[in-house]
C-alpha cells in the first residue's frame, strides 16, 4: 500500500491506499501502451485451452437399491467412459469401443 509520508501509520486515509484492482488496471494499461512488443513475445504468451468436457451425472444410473459390488462395477464403468471422453471420443464411438 502507498502511504502518505506526512501522516502517521494510525492516520492513513483510505484514498491513499492502492488496491489490488488498481494495481491490476495499471499493469494492463502499461501492457496496452507498450508498443515495443514482438511477434515472438505474443506467440509465447498464447495460451492453449483444453476442449470442453461433457458432464453426465452419476446419480441417475446409481439410483435405487444396489449391492456394493454392483455399485463398484458401475463406478468403474463410469471411470472408463469418462477417460474415453477425455481422449476425445464421442458417445457413439464409446459405445462401439465397449
Amino acid at each position: 500500500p502507498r502511504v502518505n509520508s506526512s501522516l502517521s501509520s494510525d492516520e492513513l486515509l483510505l484514498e491513499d491506499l492502492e488496491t489490488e484492482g488498481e494495481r491490476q488496471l495499471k499493469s494492463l494499461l502499461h501492457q496496452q501502451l507498450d508498443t515495443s512488443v514482438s511477434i515472438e513475445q505474443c506467440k509465447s504468451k498464447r495460451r492453449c485451452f483444453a476442449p470442453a468436457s461433457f458432464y453426465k451425472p452419476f446419480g441417475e444410473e446409481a439410483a435405487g437399491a444396489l449391492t456394493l459390488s454392483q455399485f463398484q462395477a458401475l463406478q468403474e464403468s463410469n471411470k472408463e467412459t469418462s477417460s474415453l471422453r477425455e481422449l476425445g471420443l464421442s458417445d457413439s464411438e464409446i459405445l462401439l469401443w465397449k
Side-chain angles (χ1 to χ4, degrees):
R2 259 186 353 204
V3 177
N4 189 343
S5 60
S6 64
L7 298 174
S8 70
S9 61
D10 294 339
E11 300 172 336
L12 287 176
L13 296 176
L14 291 177
E15 295 100 25
D16 290 338
L17 296 176
E18 184 179 26
T19 65
E20 182 64 27
E22 290 171 336
R23 278 189 225 126
Q24 291 290 332
L25 286 173
K26 284 181 185 178
S27 171
L28 289 171
L29 178 64
H30 289 298
Q31 287 178 8
Q32 286 181 343
L33 295 177
D34 185 17
T35 58
S36 63
V37 178
S38 67
I39 297 294
E40 288 78 22
Q41 288 173 330
C42 289
K43 285 182 182 178
S44 69
K45 288 185 180 180
R46 182 177 159 222
R47 296 183 180 158
C48 296
F49 294 97
S53 64
F54 177 78
Y55 175 72
K56 184 177 179 184
F58 180 65
E60 294 173 3
E61 299 165 349
L66 296 176
T67 65
L68 179 60
S69 60
Q70 289 173 329
F71 181 80
Q72 288 172 338
L74 186 61
Q75 194 174 25
E76 286 299 318
S77 174
N78 190 30
K79 284 181 184 177
E80 181 186 13
T81 303
S82 63
S83 64
L84 291 172
R85 272 200 191 100
E86 288 175 5
L87 293 173
L89 296 177
S90 67
D91 286 338
S92 60
E93 292 169 331
I94 292 172
L95 287 175
L96 182 63
W97 174 263
K98 287 187 171 187

